[in-house]
Every structure is written in C-alpha cells, then in structure tokens.
Amino acid sequence: MGILNYIVDLGPQVMMPIIITIFGLILGAKFGKALRAGLTVGVGFIGLNLVIGLLGGSLGPAAQEMVTRLGLNLTVIDVGWPAAAAIAFASRVGALIIPIGLVVNIVMLLTNTTQTLDIDIWDFWHFAFTGALVTGATGSIMYGIIAAVLNMIIIMVIADLTAPGIEKYIGLPGISLPHGFSGAFVPGALVVNKILDLIPGINKIEIDTETLQKRFGVFGEPLIIGTVIGIVIGIAAGYNLKGILVLGITLGGVLVLIPKMAAMLMEGLIPISDSAQEFVSKRFKNRGKIYIGLDSAVGIGHPTTLSVSLVLVPITIILAAILPGNRVLPFADLAVIPFSLVMLIPITKGNVFRTFIIGFINMAVGLLIATNLAPLHTQMAIDANFTMPPGATMISSICDGANPLSWLFTRLMSIPFIGVSILAVIAIGMAVYNRQRIIKENRKDASAENTEE
C-alpha cells in the first residue's frame, strides 16, 4: 500500500509513464520502446492537464461572475472533483480501494468477464466515493466495500461495451474508458436516445460537427465555435471588452488544443496496445481483444463533446437558479461537464442535438442528485477533516456528487439485504453477459481467420 500510494501521489504525468513502461516490459516490448511509449503518454497527460486547467481557469471566474449577476443564494457549495477525490481516498473504503480494484480487474480478466486492463488506478477514487457514501448511509464498511466492488464491475462492463464506439467515433483504437463518473451516464443515455428514436420529427434531426462545418464553412470549425461561445459567456458574465475577447479566444484555443494533446497521448499508447494484443493472442485462448483502460480525459477532445459542454455551462447555472428542489450552487466542477458527455458520443454517434438533449437532462437530474447526497457528502468531508468553505452549511460536487450510479447504490443499499441483492444480480448479470459476448466474438473472429486460411 505504501508503494502504491507513493506512485499515485506522484500524479498521472509521472504515474502513467512508470505504469506504461512496466506494462510494456511485461508484455514483451523492448525497454527503449516501452520507455518512449511511457514518456510520450506522460507528455500527453501534461498537455491535457494544462489545457483542461486552462479551461477551468477561464470558465471558473466567468461562471462565478454569472452566479453573482444572477443573485443566486444556494446553500450547498460545489467544491469540485479534487476535493471529492481527496475525501474519497481519505475514507475507510478509500484506504483499501487500490488493492481491491486491482484484484477485481485481475479476476475479471481471468474469468473473461472484461476485456479491459485498467491501468488508471488513480480513478479508482470514483469507486471509493460510492463505497464511502454507502458506508455513511448504512454504517457498514462491509456494505461500502461491496458497493465499491459492484460499482467497478458495472463500469468495467460498460467500458467494454462502449470501447468499439469510442474507437469509431472518438478515434481511440485499443482504448476503453472505465471511468466511474463518465460511464455512469451511459445507461440513462441509452434510454433517452431510444426515446428520441421514437419521437416523429425529432428522430430525423441530424446535426454533427462535420455538417456544421460544411454548412457554415469556417464558422462551423471548432476554433470559431469555441470562440463564439466564449464571447457569449463573457458577455453573460459582464466582462469588459478585453475580458470577453480573452475568454473567447481562450475557449476557442481549448477546442483546438485538447484533441492535439489526446493525439500525443495516443501516440504513446498504440505500441503498448499492440503489444497487449500480441501477448494475449500468444498465451490465452478465447480472450478476444484487450483494451487499455484510461481516464476519460483522453476522449473529451471530440468537437461535439467540447461544443455542447461549453453551451451547458451557462445553462447549468440557470438551471440551478430555477430548478425546483435544487440547493446546489454549481461552481468548481463546471469544467468537468465534458466528462459527463464523453461516453455519450458513441451512443448519439456524434449528433450535437441529441448530445445536448441528453446532457441537459444529465445536468438537471445531476443537480437534484447532488442536493440529495449533500448531507452524506458533507459528513464524509467532516470525517476526512476537510476544511469547509466559508459560509457553507453543506458541500457537494458535480463529479461525483451528481453521479447517478453512486446515488442508486447509496439509496438501494440503505435497504438491508434487498438492495445489495438487486445490485449484485445486476452486476453479476452484466459480467456474465459480457463473458458470453466476449467468447462469442472471439469464436467468430477465429472462424473468420480459419476461413481466410
């Protein structure tokens, strides 16, 4: 645990190169190739973190000004994901989540219930957060650990099922996104997308970034879209001309730079992904394709994700003001809205209209979930000796306080035995289904190879 905690504390820009290099060597890559891959991934994460930090640093003050201008007086403060992650890791479940998560992943790989090798151990905090909420709601650390394990199993299966779409629509071959926050929105998105399919007229609306670019020419490019949205947000925030222009160009630059940083990261991952496929095909049968599990930050560069998320920032603030039952003041986590949209892209096939509709529903429901979980979230923070913001009676966050899976686990597992049983059946059922799918696909691929020979 000491070694693992030390590596995690180094941050992704150091942790990921070390892990990638070690995995590359285990998978049979030469040292030089493995080291170069690891360092390239590290550079990619540095670039992503810088650009995402630029996004948050630009949007944060603008959002705060918009909140002030709207005169919102909401009592639950959004403290952001860094605080939520620290609180989760400081919990009793958080102290055990890394070894537990590694064991779960290994068992799932050995039993063929997942194709994902999740090397992003930092993001195990999402599962710890769910476990800590359940521990607080039930008073049982055992229930908390069970919740964290079942949550991870569900997310791993979702990562597998969405990986082909992630490759096709976001351009990340050999990568899956076992992200506890992003993946939690997939089930709801599937339902809403199906409903949209059944509504005459609505089901015919097809708007994607390529169509926008063809129709509007240069004004449909991500750079221009980001700049225009930034200018609108700057005006809504009451900025002066200089502030409006700086925000506009900054957000336009973010829409251009994030995909380029993700491409740098992919440059380092492709050799490791290829080595993983070769390693598995030589040593195991019926394993199918193996995906490298990463943080969903690598996928937020899709133009639809970024464009819709920027539009949702001011809308989420307005929603907070008018939504009955909401008490959360969104602020620190407004920059993580793209993370709630990443895994919708394979479902909506990049359709801007559908992604916006689903994203809007996610934010509305998410604010109510964050309000509902705020007392537990606050108690977790107190137990972790977190310093409360001045004037705040309760705290929450969009990530993971607005996580629908975390809420479902917390409320269902508060019902002794029945809730645990329901969630266990769902998780195990998904794992069994995934195993059957993996074996079936592998047999089909093997049959196709034999036919070609």
Side-chain angles (χ1 to χ4, degrees), residues 73-96:
N73 185 25
L74 301 168
T75 57
V76 180
I77 305 300
D78 167 19
V79 294
W81 73 264
I87 291 168
F89 273 133
S91 70
R92 288 184 289 171
V93 177
L96 303 169

Side-chain angles (χ1 to χ4, degrees), residues 244-315:
I244 291 170
L245 294 176
V246 168
L247 182 62
I249 294 173
T250 298
L251 295 189
V254 165
L255 263 66
V256 173
L257 291 172
I258 285 181
K260 294 185 182 300
M261 294 303 101
M264 169 68 77
L265 190 145
M266 281 305 304
E267 181 185 334
L269 285 172
I270 287 174
I272 302 302
S273 179
D274 291 342
S275 296
Q277 300 303 328
E278 186 178 349
F279 181 88
V280 169
S281 63
K282 283 182 178 179
R283 292 167 175 80
F284 301 98
K285 294 181 179 180
N286 298 325
R287 287 291 161 188
K289 187 173 183 177
I290 292 294
Y291 297 106
I292 304 297
L294 292 176
D295 190 306
S296 56
V298 302
I300 70 171
H302 193 282
T304 297
T305 301
L306 292 171
S307 301
V308 172
S309 63
L310 290 181
V311 172
L312 283 174
V313 168
I315 289 176

Side-chain angles (χ1 to χ4, degrees), residues 234-450:
I235 293 172
Y239 281 6
N240 59 26
L241 180 61
K242 177 184 176 182
I244 291 170
L245 294 176
V246 168
L247 182 62
I249 294 173
T250 298
L251 295 189
V254 165
L255 263 66
V256 173
L257 291 172
I258 285 181
K260 294 185 182 300
M261 294 303 101
M264 169 68 77
L265 190 145
M266 281 305 304
E267 181 185 334
L269 285 172
I270 287 174
I272 302 302
S273 179
D274 291 342
S275 296
Q277 300 303 328
E278 186 178 349
F279 181 88
V280 169
S281 63
K282 283 182 178 179
R283 292 167 175 80
F284 301 98
K285 294 181 179 180
N286 298 325
R287 287 291 161 188
K289 187 173 183 177
I290 292 294
Y291 297 106
I292 304 297
L294 292 176
D295 190 306
S296 56
V298 302
I300 70 171
H302 193 282
T304 297
T305 301
L306 292 171
S307 301
V308 172
S309 63
L310 290 181
V311 172
L312 283 174
V313 168
I315 289 176
T316 300
I317 294 172
I318 295 170
L319 262 177
I322 65 175
L323 186 65
N326 174 59
R327 295 173 59 197
V328 175
L329 178 64
F331 171 55
D333 259 353
L334 285 168
V336 306
I337 290 178
F339 289 80
S340 70
L341 305 178
V342 172
M343 297 178 74
L344 307 190
I345 301 304
I347 298 170
T348 65
K349 299 178 181 178
N351 188 316
V352 174
F353 172 75
R354 291 193 176 210
T355 304
F356 171 77
I357 295 297
I358 297 172
F360 177 86
I361 294 172
N362 286 347
M363 288 301 102
V365 174
L367 286 171
L368 296 178
I369 288 174
T371 299
N372 184 260
L373 292 178
L376 285 173
H377 199 148
T378 304
Q379 188 57 52
M380 285 166 54
I382 293 171
D383 293 342
N385 296 318
F386 176 78
T387 303
M388 298 286 284
T393 56
M394 284 194 289
I395 64 168
S396 191
S397 59
I398 294 176
C399 177
D400 259 22
N403 187 319
L405 267 183
S406 296
W407 178 84
L408 183 66
F409 270 88
T410 303
R411 295 312 171 200
L412 272 182
M413 292 189 76
S414 297
I415 308 171
F417 185 72
I418 296 175
V420 179
S421 300
I422 292 172
L423 291 166
V425 168
I426 292 172
I428 294 171
M430 289 178 67
V432 170
Y433 165 79
N434 203 34
R435 171 182 165 81
Q436 293 173 341
R437 179 191 62 82
I438 292 168
I439 293 174
K440 183 178 179 181
E441 287 183 2
N442 188 62
R443 285 174 180 167
K444 185 190 241 183
D445 292 341
S447 177
E449 289 178 7
N450 292 334

